Amino acid sequence: MTRRELDAAGITDPGLRSAYGRCRQLNARHGRTYFLATRLLPLERRSAVHALYGFARWADDIVDDLDRRLTPDERDLLLKRLEGDLAHGLRGGGGTEPVVRAVADTAGRYGIEVDLFADFLASMRADLTVTDYPTYADLRAYMHGSAAVIGLQMLPVLGTVVPREEAAPHAAALGVAFQLTNFLRDVGEDLDRGRVYLPADLLAAHGVDRPLLEWSRSSGRSDPRIRAALVAAEALTRDVYRDAEPGIAMLDPRVRPCIRTAFTLYGGILDAIARHDYTVLHRRAVVPRRRRAATAAAGVLKVTGARWRAAPAGRPAALERKGPARD
């Protein structure tokens, strides 16, 4: 429940509470996997995660403009206004947009580096003009702002048991792994928007180019070259997951079940892609609802165990009003 999350976080201002509530709505509506995992966090940290997601979602929606009502120049103007609003909010609080008020408050509460937001918005602006990436190195430069910084923004909120700089590369890698998973899942939808995020050198190594992808998308027909390229993209993505995984043990024990659940669910998207024989140009791969529920239930058990271990002596964790099952 939003009220309990806000109370636990010590957010009392009515306007801020409303702003955080708006971010939570965006997370619930658009980030099913992410939102499910967030519900495993301690209550007092969930609002901050909703704020970070809500802001990122808001900027992404400006860039994508799925209804195609806006020209690139109009989207650029909206992005500049959002950037100015955020700069004002980060300097002194406030902001015109609810997502800005919430994320600026979160940045102040947790000491999140301002430069991370600038890097994120720079990658969002690239989406207005850049439609493909010649090499994986080029794509990684883009993903620093669009994905790695999200992991780095999350780190102060989650907390670590090691110096933050030790956990940072793994947090950044996890953000990249999640985005690469989305890129692989959404190849067809991104192509409809005029974008190809899979690097051209990886595609070319298997005889694939944009015209071949467009032919497959429009005709509904498969091609063994495309399948081979997607298999290679999946292998690359799993390598990034392996780079990210050691970072989970570096986090506060109470948040590890949340991140492990997200790690498992996003990895499950790759499993679904393989199970559907890499037909991502023709269908969207999703983790079955039953598996999502089972993974979340396992996370709840781990959360309960972590809270029992962390509960003050003489006060059983089961009596604390923080269990995700009650939300």
Side-chain angles (χ1 to χ4, degrees), residues 137-254:
D138 295 318
L139 182 64
R140 283 299 296 248
Y142 164 80
M143 289 192 296
H144 165 73
S146 63
V149 299
I150 305 299
L152 296 174
Q153 288 170 350
M154 286 278 290
L155 210 49
V157 176
L158 299 176
T160 63
V161 295
V162 299
R164 193 179 298 169
E165 58 269 20
E166 185 178 339
H170 302 290
L174 190 58
V176 170
F178 287 170
Q179 185 163 68
L180 283 171
T181 301
N182 289 341
F183 287 162
L184 191 54
R185 180 195 63 195
D186 298 338
V187 171
E189 294 173 21
D190 288 332
L191 196 61
D192 292 343
R193 299 179 189 125
R195 301 187 197 129
V196 177
Y197 286 106
L198 299 183
D201 58 351
L202 181 150
L203 295 173
H206 300 278
V208 179
D209 56 14
R210 181 189 285 260
L212 183 60
L213 293 175
E214 291 172 340
W215 167 83
S216 179
R217 177 68 169 170
S218 62
S219 69
R221 297 173 63 183
S222 301
D223 186 286
R225 293 168 293 177
I226 294 175
R227 185 185 185 281
L230 296 174
V231 169
E234 179 203 3
L236 182 153
T237 303
R238 291 193 186 276
D239 284 343
V240 181
Y241 275 101
R242 281 188 281 273
D243 290 341
E245 188 169 15
I248 297 175
M250 300 178 184
L251 300 173
D252 179 337
R254 293 181 300 158

Side-chain angles (χ1 to χ4, degrees), residues 56-109:
R57 179 79 255 175
W58 193 264
D60 195 53
D61 283 350
I62 289 174
V63 169
D64 281 344
D65 183 32
L66 300 183
D67 294 335
R68 298 180 181 266
R69 294 171 300 179
L70 303 176
T71 67
D73 286 344
E74 288 171 330
R75 282 179 279 158
D76 183 51
L77 179 59
L78 287 176
L79 205 56
K80 286 177 180 175
R81 287 176 180 169
L82 181 65
E83 191 170 19
D85 198 20
L86 178 65
H88 171 73
L90 291 173
R91 282 196 304 269
T96 302
E97 295 290 351
V99 294
V100 169
R101 293 198 295 274
V103 82
D105 182 69
T106 289
R109 286 172 183 266

Side-chain angles (χ1 to χ4, degrees), residues 8 31-32 53 88 114 145 203 220 242-243 256 277-278 294 302:
R32 289 188 304 173
Y53 180 91
H88 171 73
V114 173
L203 295 173
R242 281 188 281 273
D243 290 341
R256 290 175 197 166
D277 200 30
Y278 304 91
K302 291 176 182 177

